Amino acid sequence: MKNELTNDILKVLYTEDEIHQRVQELGAAIAEEFAGRRPLFVGILKGSVIFLADLIRACPLLCDLEMMAVSSYGNATASSGRVRINFDLQQDVRGRDLIIVEDILDSGNTLSFLKDYLNAKGAASITIVTLLDKPSGRQKAVTADYIGFTVPDAFVVGYGLDYAQLYRNLPCIGVLKPEVYQKT
Ligand code: XMP
Ligand code: MG
């Protein structure tokens, strides 16, 4: 379908149906691993919100939910390497099984920082769930426990992921046209 959102997309990598199917699979696997343990999901704002909303509904578990906001990017398309907490946990996570939900694991700066941070807060365990993994971008040695899709070395948007705050509401995941960066 052509509209002002999809006009800027060079190529669709994953359709709405493919994403839905994969999220159901991830949810079922996580529910199996954490049955009876009441994990605490930690969603990373803003990119993970759409994935998180679908994922936790695919997980028939008793669980808690927290959000954190961190930034390392500004509006650029390459990592600055620095991570800052803009919104922190609202409860004690000591002794809890944490499930971090992230939109994309790229350089690894964000998730390696968050792992250290949440370990220091006394988490019993930390599980990383990322919708997308972009191994070609990696600068820090961090791996995810659950991965939706492994993506090529391109800037991707949609299903929560943005470029300069746009395209989060695109239902699919796609690669942005290069001229969109040049325009802004
Ligand atoms: P790092 O590099 O710390 O990246 O692993 C984590 C955060 O960087 C953003 N990011 C992207 N956002 N398309 C996006 O829309 C991308 O291709 C991309 N690569 C990294 C994202 O916010 C992620 O949480
Ligand atoms: Mg993000």
Side-chain angles (χ1 to χ4, degrees):
M1 208 215 327
K2 280 257 170 222
N3 57 45
E4 63 182 32
L5 253 188
T6 57
N7 274 346
D8 291 342
I9 303 305
L10 181 68
K11 184 178 159 206
V12 173
L13 292 179
Y14 305 105
T15 65
E16 200 174 349
D17 285 349
E18 287 166 341
I19 297 168
H20 177 80
Q21 176 60 35
R22 187 69 189 119
V23 172
Q24 299 309 302
E25 290 168 8
L26 290 174
I30 293 166
E32 196 182 319
E33 178 178 345
F34 287 92
R37 286 166 61 190
R38 189 172 168 168
L40 192 163
F41 285 90
V42 180
I44 309 305
L45 294 168
K46 304 172 196 169
S48 79
V49 288
I50 294 176
F51 174 45
L52 176 75
D54 287 343
L55 181 70
I56 60 175
R57 284 179 295 175
C59 259
L61 283 178
L62 292 176
C63 61
D64 296 279
L65 178 59
E66 282 286 320
M67 306 300 294
M68 286 183 73
V70 297
S71 57
S72 66
Y73 265 68
N75 281 343
T77 56
S79 175
S80 70
R82 291 188 311 270
V83 180
R84 196 177 61 208
I85 297 178
N86 299 325
F87 180 73
D88 209 342
L89 299 166
Q90 304 293 298
Q91 64 177 281
D92 190 3
V93 299
R94 186 164 300 276
R96 300 298 305 270
D97 292 314
L98 305 185
I99 303 176
I100 303 177
V101 182
E102 188 41 317
D103 54 357
I104 184 166
L105 170 54
D106 189 350
S107 71
N109 288 321
T110 305
L111 281 169
S112 89
F113 169 86
L114 283 170
K115 256 188 121 164
D116 291 348
Y117 181 78
L118 295 170
N119 265 321
K121 294 250 175 214
S125 69
I126 297 175
T127 299
I128 294 176
V129 184
T130 187
L131 172 67
L132 304 178
D133 184 18
K134 195 195 280 185
S136 57
R138 207 74 91 248
Q139 293 167 16
K140 295 257 168 68
V142 46
T143 51
D145 301 285
Y146 293 93
I147 294 165
F149 303 101
T150 300
V151 293
D153 186 17
F155 198 78
V156 295
V157 297
Y159 196 67
L161 291 109
D162 72 305
Y163 171 68
Q165 302 303 328
L166 295 175
Y167 313 106
R168 294 192 196 277
N169 56 330
L170 189 72
C172 63
I173 294 169
V175 178
L176 207 51
K177 288 181 180 165
E179 56 261 39
V180 178
Y181 311 133
Q182 286 141 23
K183 224 163 41 187
T184 48

